[in-house]
Amino acid sequence: MLKDGVLDPQGKAIEHALHVLGFLDVENVRAGRIIELETAAKTQEAALKQGEEMGRNLLANGVIENFSVEVIQ
Amino acid sequence: MLKDGVLDPQGKAIEHALHVLGFLDVENVRAGRIIELETAAKTQEAALKQGEEMGRNLLANGVIENFSVEVIQ
């Protein structure tokens, strides 16, 4: 997800559209990305480490985005 | 997330890039969207119902996407 303080035009556009549709009590809409993948990592720790490495190296833009890794067996 | 069987070019591109970076044991990469928002719904059930309604009416493309709603208090 985008870091706090980073402008989120997509979130703003979704918020506006939801208000137009009558969901008036909705606020602070933030849009982000979710990436699911399968890995052959042998342990939960190895998969977590690999996920964080992929996040840092490719999947997340560290300047404007925070990311988190969840391992599901 | 995209429904099973729907082509996911973004997922394919990410998978290829991860392989190029050396994460060779990664497969079935799927890319999707996550939307966080705040609502003034009074109960967990009301928030869940509202989230599903927003998903059906605007936030998800029911033809090619599945969506799920998680309420966090």
mmCIF file of all heavy atoms in Angstrom, chain A residues 1 14 17-18 21 23 25-41 50 53-54 58-59, chain B residues 1 14 17-18 21 23 25-41 50 54 57-59:
data_model
loop_
_atom_site.group_PDB
_atom_site.id
_atom_site.type_symbol
_atom_site.label_atom_id
_atom_site.label_comp_id
_atom_site.label_asym_id
_atom_site.label_seq_id
_atom_site.Cartn_x
_atom_site.Cartn_y
_atom_site.Cartn_z
ATOM 1 N N MET A 1 0.843 -1.190 0.000
ATOM 2 C CA MET A 1 0.000 0.000 0.000
ATOM 3 C C MET A 1 0.878 1.240 0.000
ATOM 4 O O MET A 1 2.028 1.183 0.422
ATOM 5 C CB MET A 1 -0.876 0.017 1.252
ATOM 6 C CG MET A 1 -1.825 -1.177 1.399
ATOM 7 S SD MET A 1 -3.087 -1.321 0.148
ATOM 8 C CE MET A 1 -4.186 0.004 0.583
ATOM 9 N N ILE A 14 -11.895 6.398 -6.398
ATOM 10 C CA ILE A 14 -12.817 5.356 -5.909
ATOM 11 C C ILE A 14 -13.740 5.958 -4.844
ATOM 12 O O ILE A 14 -14.955 5.730 -4.852
ATOM 13 C CB ILE A 14 -12.012 4.173 -5.343
ATOM 14 C CG1 ILE A 14 -11.255 3.454 -6.467
ATOM 15 C CG2 ILE A 14 -12.927 3.193 -4.612
ATOM 16 C CD1 ILE A 14 -10.228 2.449 -5.960
ATOM 17 N N ALA A 17 -16.423 7.987 -6.480
ATOM 18 C CA ALA A 17 -17.409 7.133 -7.152
ATOM 19 C C ALA A 17 -18.332 6.466 -6.123
ATOM 20 O O ALA A 17 -19.552 6.367 -6.330
ATOM 21 C CB ALA A 17 -16.688 6.078 -7.986
ATOM 22 N N LEU A 18 -17.765 6.047 -4.991
ATOM 23 C CA LEU A 18 -18.596 5.429 -3.943
ATOM 24 C C LEU A 18 -19.588 6.447 -3.383
ATOM 25 O O LEU A 18 -20.761 6.124 -3.153
ATOM 26 C CB LEU A 18 -17.703 4.870 -2.831
ATOM 27 C CG LEU A 18 -16.923 3.612 -3.168
ATOM 28 C CD1 LEU A 18 -15.903 3.290 -2.074
ATOM 29 C CD2 LEU A 18 -17.856 2.417 -3.396
ATOM 30 N N LEU A 21 -22.410 6.826 -5.694
ATOM 31 C CA LEU A 21 -23.325 5.666 -5.644
ATOM 32 C C LEU A 21 -24.127 5.619 -4.342
ATOM 33 O O LEU A 21 -24.915 4.714 -4.117
ATOM 34 C CB LEU A 21 -22.524 4.374 -5.792
ATOM 35 C CG LEU A 21 -22.037 4.031 -7.196
ATOM 36 C CD1 LEU A 21 -21.193 2.753 -7.167
ATOM 37 C CD2 LEU A 21 -23.206 3.849 -8.151
ATOM 38 N N PHE A 23 -22.728 5.685 -1.103
ATOM 39 C CA PHE A 23 -21.991 5.218 0.080
ATOM 40 C C PHE A 23 -21.304 6.428 0.720
ATOM 41 O O PHE A 23 -20.092 6.613 0.639
ATOM 42 C CB PHE A 23 -20.961 4.152 -0.304
ATOM 43 C CG PHE A 23 -21.553 2.905 -0.912
ATOM 44 C CD1 PHE A 23 -21.520 2.689 -2.284
ATOM 45 C CD2 PHE A 23 -22.167 1.956 -0.103
ATOM 46 C CE1 PHE A 23 -22.082 1.535 -2.840
ATOM 47 C CE2 PHE A 23 -22.711 0.796 -0.644
ATOM 48 C CZ PHE A 23 -22.669 0.591 -2.017
ATOM 49 N N ASP A 25 -20.880 7.421 3.799
ATOM 50 C CA ASP A 25 -20.127 7.373 5.072
ATOM 51 C C ASP A 25 -18.761 6.697 4.901
ATOM 52 O O ASP A 25 -18.120 6.307 5.876
ATOM 53 C CB ASP A 25 -20.947 6.642 6.143
ATOM 54 C CG ASP A 25 -21.160 5.174 5.788
ATOM 55 O OD1 ASP A 25 -20.912 4.820 4.608
ATOM 56 O OD2 ASP A 25 -21.547 4.402 6.671
ATOM 57 N N VAL A 26 -18.308 6.616 3.640
ATOM 58 C CA VAL A 26 -17.007 5.981 3.369
ATOM 59 C C VAL A 26 -15.940 7.063 3.260
ATOM 60 O O VAL A 26 -16.174 8.109 2.658
ATOM 61 C CB VAL A 26 -17.095 5.184 2.041
ATOM 62 C CG1 VAL A 26 -15.721 4.848 1.508
ATOM 63 C CG2 VAL A 26 -17.923 3.930 2.247
ATOM 64 N N GLU A 27 -14.768 6.831 3.884
ATOM 65 C CA GLU A 27 -13.679 7.812 3.752
ATOM 66 C C GLU A 27 -12.317 7.115 3.803
ATOM 67 O O GLU A 27 -12.237 5.929 4.064
ATOM 68 C CB GLU A 27 -13.783 8.885 4.828
ATOM 69 C CG GLU A 27 -13.884 8.350 6.249
ATOM 70 C CD GLU A 27 -14.125 9.448 7.260
ATOM 71 O OE1 GLU A 27 -14.539 10.559 6.853
ATOM 72 O OE2 GLU A 27 -13.890 9.210 8.447
ATOM 73 N N ASN A 28 -11.282 7.926 3.541
ATOM 74 C CA ASN A 28 -9.903 7.414 3.555
ATOM 75 C C ASN A 28 -9.722 6.148 2.715
ATOM 76 O O ASN A 28 -9.175 5.153 3.179
ATOM 77 C CB ASN A 28 -9.451 7.131 4.996
ATOM 78 C CG ASN A 28 -9.358 8.410 5.803
ATOM 79 O OD1 ASN A 28 -9.024 9.461 5.238
ATOM 80 N ND2 ASN A 28 -9.696 8.353 7.074
ATOM 81 N N VAL A 29 -10.215 6.177 1.494
ATOM 82 C CA VAL A 29 -10.080 5.034 0.591
ATOM 83 C C VAL A 29 -8.636 4.977 0.083
ATOM 84 O O VAL A 29 -8.097 5.987 -0.362
ATOM 85 C CB VAL A 29 -11.052 5.144 -0.606
ATOM 86 C CG1 VAL A 29 -10.878 3.938 -1.534
ATOM 87 C CG2 VAL A 29 -12.504 5.241 -0.121
ATOM 88 N N ARG A 30 -8.015 3.832 0.228
ATOM 89 C CA ARG A 30 -6.630 3.636 -0.240
ATOM 90 C C ARG A 30 -6.614 2.416 -1.163
ATOM 91 O O ARG A 30 -7.189 1.363 -0.829
ATOM 92 C CB ARG A 30 -5.684 3.367 0.939
ATOM 93 C CG ARG A 30 -5.770 4.366 2.073
ATOM 94 C CD ARG A 30 -5.005 5.626 1.824
ATOM 95 N NE ARG A 30 -3.563 5.413 1.914
ATOM 96 C CZ ARG A 30 -2.689 6.384 1.622
ATOM 97 N NH1 ARG A 30 -3.089 7.555 1.203
ATOM 98 N NH2 ARG A 30 -1.396 6.159 1.716
ATOM 99 N N ALA A 31 -6.002 2.559 -2.312
ATOM 100 C CA ALA A 31 -5.944 1.440 -3.258
ATOM 101 C C ALA A 31 -4.514 0.904 -3.300
ATOM 102 O O ALA A 31 -3.554 1.684 -3.245
ATOM 103 C CB ALA A 31 -6.376 1.928 -4.637
ATOM 104 N N GLY A 32 -4.374 -0.394 -3.381
ATOM 105 C CA GLY A 32 -3.037 -0.991 -3.432
ATOM 106 C C GLY A 32 -3.049 -2.270 -4.260
ATOM 107 O O GLY A 32 -4.049 -2.601 -4.897
ATOM 108 N N ARG A 33 -1.921 -2.966 -4.232
ATOM 109 C CA ARG A 33 -1.791 -4.181 -5.036
ATOM 110 C C ARG A 33 -1.579 -5.387 -4.110
ATOM 111 O O ARG A 33 -0.985 -5.252 -3.038
ATOM 112 C CB ARG A 33 -0.588 -4.061 -5.970
ATOM 113 C CG ARG A 33 -0.757 -3.013 -7.052
ATOM 114 C CD ARG A 33 0.518 -2.844 -7.850
ATOM 115 N NE ARG A 33 1.613 -2.422 -6.982
ATOM 116 C CZ ARG A 33 2.843 -2.916 -7.064
ATOM 117 N NH1 ARG A 33 3.125 -3.870 -7.933
ATOM 118 N NH2 ARG A 33 3.800 -2.478 -6.263
ATOM 119 N N ILE A 34 -2.074 -6.530 -4.588
ATOM 120 C CA ILE A 34 -1.822 -7.782 -3.870
ATOM 121 C C ILE A 34 -1.273 -8.776 -4.895
ATOM 122 O O ILE A 34 -1.745 -8.840 -6.029
ATOM 123 C CB ILE A 34 -3.119 -8.305 -3.196
ATOM 124 C CG1 ILE A 34 -2.844 -9.542 -2.354
ATOM 125 C CG2 ILE A 34 -4.225 -8.543 -4.189
ATOM 126 C CD1 ILE A 34 -4.009 -9.869 -1.422
ATOM 127 N N ILE A 35 -0.207 -9.450 -4.533
ATOM 128 C CA ILE A 35 0.405 -10.417 -5.458
ATOM 129 C C ILE A 35 0.465 -11.762 -4.755
ATOM 130 O O ILE A 35 1.007 -11.863 -3.652
ATOM 131 C CB ILE A 35 1.818 -9.947 -5.877
ATOM 132 C CG1 ILE A 35 1.712 -8.658 -6.695
ATOM 133 C CG2 ILE A 35 2.535 -11.025 -6.686
ATOM 134 C CD1 ILE A 35 3.010 -7.962 -6.956
ATOM 135 N N GLU A 36 -0.168 -12.745 -5.365
ATOM 136 C CA GLU A 36 -0.130 -14.101 -4.825
ATOM 137 C C GLU A 36 0.799 -14.933 -5.705
ATOM 138 O O GLU A 36 0.800 -14.787 -6.924
ATOM 139 C CB GLU A 36 -1.528 -14.731 -4.848
ATOM 140 C CG GLU A 36 -2.505 -14.139 -3.858
ATOM 141 C CD GLU A 36 -3.870 -14.789 -3.934
ATOM 142 O OE1 GLU A 36 -4.051 -15.733 -4.740
ATOM 143 O OE2 GLU A 36 -4.758 -14.349 -3.190
ATOM 144 N N LEU A 37 1.579 -15.787 -5.083
ATOM 145 C CA LEU A 37 2.459 -16.662 -5.862
ATOM 146 C C LEU A 37 2.755 -17.943 -5.072
ATOM 147 O O LEU A 37 2.531 -17.998 -3.857
ATOM 148 C CB LEU A 37 3.755 -15.929 -6.209
ATOM 149 C CG LEU A 37 4.598 -15.321 -5.091
ATOM 150 C CD1 LEU A 37 5.579 -16.338 -4.503
ATOM 151 C CD2 LEU A 37 5.380 -14.128 -5.629
ATOM 152 N N GLU A 38 3.245 -18.935 -5.769
ATOM 153 C CA GLU A 38 3.636 -20.199 -5.137
ATOM 154 C C GLU A 38 5.146 -20.308 -5.222
ATOM 155 O O GLU A 38 5.746 -19.920 -6.243
ATOM 156 C CB GLU A 38 2.965 -21.378 -5.853
ATOM 157 C CG GLU A 38 1.456 -21.394 -5.687
ATOM 158 C CD GLU A 38 0.783 -22.409 -6.580
ATOM 159 O OE1 GLU A 38 1.479 -23.361 -7.014
ATOM 160 O OE2 GLU A 38 -0.410 -22.232 -6.878
ATOM 161 N N THR A 39 5.741 -20.809 -4.136
ATOM 162 C CA THR A 39 7.186 -20.983 -4.129
ATOM 163 C C THR A 39 7.523 -22.362 -3.555
ATOM 164 O O THR A 39 6.728 -22.905 -2.785
ATOM 165 C CB THR A 39 7.874 -19.885 -3.280
ATOM 166 O OG1 THR A 39 9.257 -20.224 -3.093
ATOM 167 C CG2 THR A 39 7.268 -19.763 -1.892
ATOM 168 N N ALA A 40 8.670 -22.862 -3.950
ATOM 169 C CA ALA A 40 9.070 -24.193 -3.463
ATOM 170 C C ALA A 40 9.887 -24.091 -2.177
ATOM 171 O O ALA A 40 10.537 -25.057 -1.779
ATOM 172 C CB ALA A 40 9.886 -24.878 -4.564
ATOM 173 N N ALA A 41 9.857 -22.951 -1.509
ATOM 174 C CA ALA A 41 10.608 -22.791 -0.248
ATOM 175 C C ALA A 41 10.210 -23.902 0.722
ATOM 176 O O ALA A 41 9.040 -24.245 0.840
ATOM 177 C CB ALA A 41 10.312 -21.426 0.365
ATOM 178 N N GLN A 50 12.149 -15.093 1.448
ATOM 179 C CA GLN A 50 12.118 -14.951 -0.010
ATOM 180 C C GLN A 50 11.109 -13.872 -0.415
ATOM 181 O O GLN A 50 11.392 -13.038 -1.278
ATOM 182 C CB GLN A 50 11.761 -16.297 -0.635
ATOM 183 C CG GLN A 50 11.948 -16.342 -2.135
ATOM 184 C CD GLN A 50 11.542 -17.678 -2.701
ATOM 185 O OE1 GLN A 50 10.697 -18.385 -2.171
ATOM 186 N NE2 GLN A 50 12.131 -18.042 -3.843
ATOM 187 N N GLU A 53 12.481 -10.490 0.221
ATOM 188 C CA GLU A 53 13.518 -10.188 -0.768
ATOM 189 C C GLU A 53 12.877 -9.762 -2.100
ATOM 190 O O GLU A 53 13.258 -8.772 -2.713
ATOM 191 C CB GLU A 53 14.358 -11.449 -0.975
ATOM 192 C CG GLU A 53 15.855 -11.230 -1.013
ATOM 193 C CD GLU A 53 16.582 -12.573 -1.145
ATOM 194 O OE1 GLU A 53 16.451 -13.428 -0.220
ATOM 195 O OE2 GLU A 53 17.233 -12.761 -2.188
ATOM 196 N N MET A 54 11.847 -10.505 -2.517
ATOM 197 C CA MET A 54 11.156 -10.165 -3.773
ATOM 198 C C MET A 54 10.487 -8.797 -3.653
ATOM 199 O O MET A 54 10.489 -7.991 -4.587
ATOM 200 C CB MET A 54 10.126 -11.244 -4.107
ATOM 201 C CG MET A 54 10.731 -12.562 -4.517
ATOM 202 S SD MET A 54 9.528 -13.750 -5.155
ATOM 203 C CE MET A 54 8.947 -14.488 -3.630
ATOM 204 N N LEU A 58 11.827 -6.101 -6.244
ATOM 205 C CA LEU A 58 11.033 -5.918 -7.478
ATOM 206 C C LEU A 58 9.602 -5.456 -7.211
ATOM 207 O O LEU A 58 9.114 -4.516 -7.812
ATOM 208 C CB LEU A 58 10.978 -7.232 -8.258
ATOM 209 C CG LEU A 58 10.108 -7.218 -9.514
ATOM 210 C CD1 LEU A 58 10.814 -6.443 -10.636
ATOM 211 C CD2 LEU A 58 9.764 -8.609 -9.980
ATOM 212 N N LEU A 59 8.948 -6.153 -6.300
ATOM 213 C CA LEU A 59 7.484 -6.047 -6.266
ATOM 214 C C LEU A 59 6.985 -4.733 -5.652
ATOM 215 O O LEU A 59 5.894 -4.271 -5.971
ATOM 216 C CB LEU A 59 6.906 -7.248 -5.509
ATOM 217 C CG LEU A 59 7.285 -8.609 -6.106
ATOM 218 C CD1 LEU A 59 6.704 -9.741 -5.268
ATOM 219 C CD2 LEU A 59 6.845 -8.723 -7.550
ATOM 220 N N MET B 1 -9.249 -10.724 -6.821
ATOM 221 C CA MET B 1 -8.307 -11.387 -7.706
ATOM 222 C C MET B 1 -9.034 -11.908 -8.939
ATOM 223 O O MET B 1 -10.241 -12.099 -8.901
ATOM 224 C CB MET B 1 -7.675 -12.567 -6.961
ATOM 225 C CG MET B 1 -6.908 -12.206 -5.701
ATOM 226 S SD MET B 1 -5.479 -11.162 -5.933
ATOM 227 C CE MET B 1 -4.338 -12.331 -6.657
ATOM 228 N N ILE B 14 5.222 -10.351 -14.011
ATOM 229 C CA ILE B 14 5.900 -10.360 -12.702
ATOM 230 C C ILE B 14 6.676 -11.666 -12.539
ATOM 231 O O ILE B 14 7.830 -11.678 -12.110
ATOM 232 C CB ILE B 14 4.869 -10.174 -11.570
ATOM 233 C CG1 ILE B 14 4.259 -8.777 -11.623
ATOM 234 C CG2 ILE B 14 5.507 -10.431 -10.205
ATOM 235 C CD1 ILE B 14 3.049 -8.598 -10.715
ATOM 236 N N ALA B 17 9.823 -11.576 -14.547
ATOM 237 C CA ALA B 17 10.813 -10.673 -13.931
ATOM 238 C C ALA B 17 11.446 -11.328 -12.702
ATOM 239 O O ALA B 17 12.658 -11.234 -12.480
ATOM 240 C CB ALA B 17 10.154 -9.355 -13.559
ATOM 241 N N LEU B 18 10.652 -12.037 -11.922
ATOM 242 C CA LEU B 18 11.189 -12.719 -10.736
ATOM 243 C C LEU B 18 12.170 -13.810 -11.152
ATOM 244 O O LEU B 18 13.230 -13.975 -10.537
ATOM 245 C CB LEU B 18 10.051 -13.305 -9.897
ATOM 246 C CG LEU B 18 9.205 -12.297 -9.124
ATOM 247 C CD1 LEU B 18 7.972 -12.965 -8.513
ATOM 248 C CD2 LEU B 18 10.033 -11.620 -8.015
ATOM 249 N N LEU B 21 15.393 -12.321 -12.044
ATOM 250 C CA LEU B 21 16.140 -11.891 -10.848
ATOM 251 C C LEU B 21 16.667 -13.076 -10.042
ATOM 252 O O LEU B 21 17.294 -12.907 -9.004
ATOM 253 C CB LEU B 21 15.250 -11.031 -9.950
ATOM 254 C CG LEU B 21 14.998 -9.609 -10.404
ATOM 255 C CD1 LEU B 21 14.030 -8.904 -9.444
ATOM 256 C CD2 LEU B 21 16.294 -8.818 -10.488
ATOM 257 N N PHE B 23 14.705 -15.755 -8.832
ATOM 258 C CA PHE B 23 13.715 -16.467 -8.013
ATOM 259 C C PHE B 23 13.060 -17.539 -8.888
ATOM 260 O O PHE B 23 11.905 -17.418 -9.309
ATOM 261 C CB PHE B 23 12.669 -15.492 -7.473
ATOM 262 C CG PHE B 23 13.214 -14.418 -6.571
ATOM 263 C CD1 PHE B 23 13.425 -13.130 -7.044
ATOM 264 C CD2 PHE B 23 13.530 -14.712 -5.256
ATOM 265 C CE1 PHE B 23 13.935 -12.136 -6.203
ATOM 266 C CE2 PHE B 23 14.035 -13.725 -4.413
ATOM 267 C CZ PHE B 23 14.235 -12.443 -4.886
ATOM 268 N N ASP B 25 12.175 -20.639 -8.372
ATOM 269 C CA ASP B 25 11.185 -21.621 -7.893
ATOM 270 C C ASP B 25 9.815 -20.993 -7.643
ATOM 271 O O ASP B 25 8.959 -21.547 -6.961
ATOM 272 C CB ASP B 25 11.696 -22.279 -6.604
ATOM 273 C CG ASP B 25 11.822 -21.290 -5.456
ATOM 274 O OD1 ASP B 25 11.769 -20.057 -5.734
ATOM 275 O OD2 ASP B 25 11.962 -21.706 -4.303
ATOM 276 N N VAL B 26 9.598 -19.818 -8.223
ATOM 277 C CA VAL B 26 8.308 -19.128 -8.055
ATOM 278 C C VAL B 26 7.412 -19.454 -9.246
ATOM 279 O O VAL B 26 7.878 -19.466 -10.385
ATOM 280 C CB VAL B 26 8.556 -17.594 -7.980
ATOM 281 C CG1 VAL B 26 7.275 -16.814 -8.207
ATOM 282 C CG2 VAL B 26 9.186 -17.238 -6.642
ATOM 283 N N GLU B 27 6.140 -19.729 -8.983
ATOM 284 C CA GLU B 27 5.208 -19.984 -10.088
ATOM 285 C C GLU B 27 3.791 -19.541 -9.716
ATOM 286 O O GLU B 27 3.530 -19.165 -8.575
ATOM 287 C CB GLU B 27 5.230 -21.463 -10.473
ATOM 288 C CG GLU B 27 4.993 -22.424 -9.306
ATOM 289 C CD GLU B 27 5.151 -23.871 -9.726
ATOM 290 O OE1 GLU B 27 5.769 -24.134 -10.782
ATOM 291 O OE2 GLU B 27 4.664 -24.743 -9.006
ATOM 292 N N ASN B 28 2.917 -19.610 -10.731
ATOM 293 C CA ASN B 28 1.509 -19.221 -10.543
ATOM 294 C C ASN B 28 1.355 -17.846 -9.898
ATOM 295 O O ASN B 28 0.612 -17.688 -8.925
ATOM 296 C CB ASN B 28 0.769 -20.267 -9.710
ATOM 297 C CG ASN B 28 0.666 -21.586 -10.434
ATOM 298 O OD1 ASN B 28 0.563 -21.590 -11.660
ATOM 299 N ND2 ASN B 28 0.758 -22.687 -9.708
ATOM 300 N N VAL B 29 2.068 -16.856 -10.410
ATOM 301 C CA VAL B 29 1.978 -15.497 -9.873
ATOM 302 C C VAL B 29 0.659 -14.877 -10.334
ATOM 303 O O VAL B 29 0.318 -14.924 -11.513
ATOM 304 C CB VAL B 29 3.153 -14.616 -10.347
ATOM 305 C CG1 VAL B 29 3.023 -13.207 -9.783
ATOM 306 C CG2 VAL B 29 4.489 -15.242 -9.941
ATOM 307 N N ARG B 30 -0.102 -14.362 -9.391
ATOM 308 C CA ARG B 30 -1.382 -13.706 -9.707
ATOM 309 C C ARG B 30 -1.350 -12.297 -9.108
ATOM 310 O O ARG B 30 -0.969 -12.129 -7.935
ATOM 311 C CB ARG B 30 -2.556 -14.487 -9.102
ATOM 312 C CG ARG B 30 -2.574 -15.974 -9.406
ATOM 313 C CD ARG B 30 -3.125 -16.316 -10.761
ATOM 314 N NE ARG B 30 -4.575 -16.093 -10.822
ATOM 315 C CZ ARG B 30 -5.273 -16.237 -11.950
ATOM 316 N NH1 ARG B 30 -4.663 -16.563 -13.066
ATOM 317 N NH2 ARG B 30 -6.579 -16.055 -11.977
ATOM 318 N N ALA B 31 -1.728 -11.320 -9.867
ATOM 319 C CA ALA B 31 -1.733 -9.939 -9.371
ATOM 320 C C ALA B 31 -3.182 -9.482 -9.200
ATOM 321 O O ALA B 31 -4.038 -9.791 -10.024
ATOM 322 C CB ALA B 31 -1.011 -9.040 -10.368
ATOM 323 N N GLY B 32 -3.438 -8.754 -8.127
ATOM 324 C CA GLY B 32 -4.807 -8.264 -7.898
ATOM 325 C C GLY B 32 -4.778 -6.932 -7.193
ATOM 326 O O GLY B 32 -3.713 -6.316 -7.019
ATOM 327 N N ARG B 33 -5.967 -6.470 -6.809
ATOM 328 C CA ARG B 33 -6.081 -5.162 -6.159
ATOM 329 C C ARG B 33 -6.593 -5.338 -4.732
ATOM 330 O O ARG B 33 -7.346 -6.263 -4.451
ATOM 331 C CB ARG B 33 -7.076 -4.283 -6.930
ATOM 332 C CG ARG B 33 -6.587 -3.898 -8.326
ATOM 333 C CD ARG B 33 -7.655 -3.156 -9.102
ATOM 334 N NE ARG B 33 -8.845 -3.979 -9.240
ATOM 335 C CZ ARG B 33 -10.079 -3.508 -9.077
ATOM 336 N NH1 ARG B 33 -10.280 -2.258 -8.739
ATOM 337 N NH2 ARG B 33 -11.131 -4.305 -9.265
ATOM 338 N N ILE B 34 -6.160 -4.406 -3.877
ATOM 339 C CA ILE B 34 -6.660 -4.379 -2.509
ATOM 340 C C ILE B 34 -7.112 -2.940 -2.229
ATOM 341 O O ILE B 34 -6.429 -1.989 -2.605
ATOM 342 C CB ILE B 34 -5.573 -4.848 -1.511
ATOM 343 C CG1 ILE B 34 -6.147 -4.946 -0.097
ATOM 344 C CG2 ILE B 34 -4.334 -3.991 -1.552
ATOM 345 C CD1 ILE B 34 -5.230 -5.736 0.854
ATOM 346 N N ILE B 35 -8.296 -2.797 -1.686
ATOM 347 C CA ILE B 35 -8.824 -1.456 -1.404
ATOM 348 C C ILE B 35 -9.167 -1.386 0.084
ATOM 349 O O ILE B 35 -9.909 -2.225 0.590
ATOM 350 C CB ILE B 35 -10.065 -1.171 -2.271
ATOM 351 C CG1 ILE B 35 -9.662 -1.114 -3.744
ATOM 352 C CG2 ILE B 35 -10.737 0.144 -1.855
ATOM 353 C CD1 ILE B 35 -10.809 -1.105 -4.724
ATOM 354 N N GLU B 36 -8.545 -0.440 0.744
ATOM 355 C CA GLU B 36 -8.824 -0.224 2.163
ATOM 356 C C GLU B 36 -9.652 1.046 2.296
ATOM 357 O O GLU B 36 -9.409 2.025 1.606
ATOM 358 C CB GLU B 36 -7.518 -0.060 2.949
ATOM 359 C CG GLU B 36 -6.702 -1.312 3.106
ATOM 360 C CD GLU B 36 -5.418 -1.063 3.896
ATOM 361 O OE1 GLU B 36 -5.204 0.082 4.365
ATOM 362 O OE2 GLU B 36 -4.624 -2.014 4.034
ATOM 363 N N LEU B 37 -10.619 1.021 3.194
ATOM 364 C CA LEU B 37 -11.429 2.225 3.411
ATOM 365 C C LEU B 37 -12.009 2.211 4.819
ATOM 366 O O LEU B 37 -12.027 1.174 5.485
ATOM 367 C CB LEU B 37 -12.542 2.305 2.361
ATOM 368 C CG LEU B 37 -13.504 1.123 2.208
ATOM 369 C CD1 LEU B 37 -14.675 1.229 3.183
ATOM 370 C CD2 LEU B 37 -14.037 1.070 0.787
ATOM 371 N N GLU B 38 -12.462 3.358 5.255
ATOM 372 C CA GLU B 38 -13.106 3.480 6.564
ATOM 373 C C GLU B 38 -14.584 3.772 6.335
ATOM 374 O O GLU B 38 -14.934 4.518 5.405
ATOM 375 C CB GLU B 38 -12.456 4.614 7.363
ATOM 376 C CG GLU B 38 -11.015 4.309 7.733
ATOM 377 C CD GLU B 38 -10.293 5.508 8.320
ATOM 378 O OE1 GLU B 38 -10.994 6.420 8.840
ATOM 379 O OE2 GLU B 38 -9.052 5.551 8.223
ATOM 380 N N THR B 39 -15.421 3.163 7.171
ATOM 381 C CA THR B 39 -16.854 3.395 7.047
ATOM 382 C C THR B 39 -17.441 3.620 8.441
ATOM 383 O O THR B 39 -16.867 3.153 9.428
ATOM 384 C CB THR B 39 -17.561 2.193 6.381
ATOM 385 O OG1 THR B 39 -18.983 2.377 6.497
ATOM 386 C CG2 THR B 39 -17.216 0.884 7.053
ATOM 387 N N ALA B 40 -18.540 4.331 8.482
ATOM 388 C CA ALA B 40 -19.170 4.635 9.774
ATOM 389 C C ALA B 40 -20.196 3.570 10.152
ATOM 390 O O ALA B 40 -21.013 3.787 11.047
ATOM 391 C CB ALA B 40 -19.823 6.015 9.683
ATOM 392 N N ALA B 41 -20.163 2.427 9.469
ATOM 393 C CA ALA B 41 -21.120 1.352 9.798
ATOM 394 C C ALA B 41 -21.034 1.020 11.285
ATOM 395 O O ALA B 41 -19.946 0.961 11.855
ATOM 396 C CB ALA B 41 -20.795 0.108 8.968
ATOM 397 N N GLN B 50 -22.099 -3.778 3.683
ATOM 398 C CA GLN B 50 -21.784 -2.596 2.878
ATOM 399 C C GLN B 50 -20.600 -2.885 1.949
ATOM 400 O O GLN B 50 -20.613 -2.530 0.771
ATOM 401 C CB GLN B 50 -21.463 -1.423 3.803
ATOM 402 C CG GLN B 50 -21.344 -0.096 3.098
ATOM 403 C CD GLN B 50 -20.983 1.023 4.050
ATOM 404 O OE1 GLN B 50 -20.312 0.817 5.062
ATOM 405 N NE2 GLN B 50 -21.398 2.242 3.725
ATOM 406 N N MET B 54 -20.555 -2.675 -2.087
ATOM 407 C CA MET B 54 -19.602 -1.842 -2.840
ATOM 408 C C MET B 54 -18.825 -2.694 -3.834
ATOM 409 O O MET B 54 -18.558 -2.277 -4.964
ATOM 410 C CB MET B 54 -18.649 -1.136 -1.869
ATOM 411 C CG MET B 54 -19.305 -0.050 -1.072
ATOM 412 S SD MET B 54 -18.136 0.960 -0.138
ATOM 413 C CE MET B 54 -17.950 -0.038 1.355
ATOM 414 N N ASN B 57 -21.216 -3.533 -6.727
ATOM 415 C CA ASN B 57 -21.679 -2.380 -7.528
ATOM 416 C C ASN B 57 -20.564 -1.607 -8.217
ATOM 417 O O ASN B 57 -20.791 -0.934 -9.209
ATOM 418 C CB ASN B 57 -22.458 -1.405 -6.632
ATOM 419 C CG ASN B 57 -23.738 -2.017 -6.120
ATOM 420 O OD1 ASN B 57 -24.163 -3.067 -6.618
ATOM 421 N ND2 ASN B 57 -24.311 -1.418 -5.090
ATOM 422 N N LEU B 58 -19.360 -1.663 -7.640
ATOM 423 C CA LEU B 58 -18.331 -0.786 -8.226
ATOM 424 C C LEU B 58 -16.931 -1.389 -8.217
ATOM 425 O O LEU B 58 -16.225 -1.400 -9.226
ATOM 426 C CB LEU B 58 -18.273 0.543 -7.449
ATOM 427 C CG LEU B 58 -17.178 1.510 -7.899
ATOM 428 C CD1 LEU B 58 -17.557 2.166 -9.233
ATOM 429 C CD2 LEU B 58 -16.891 2.574 -6.866
ATOM 430 N N LEU B 59 -16.524 -1.907 -7.073
ATOM 431 C CA LEU B 59 -15.092 -2.147 -6.875
ATOM 432 C C LEU B 59 -14.571 -3.381 -7.611
ATOM 433 O O LEU B 59 -13.398 -3.458 -7.963
ATOM 434 C CB LEU B 59 -14.795 -2.260 -5.376
ATOM 435 C CG LEU B 59 -15.204 -1.037 -4.549
ATOM 436 C CD1 LEU B 59 -14.906 -1.254 -3.080
ATOM 437 C CD2 LEU B 59 -14.528 0.228 -5.060
#
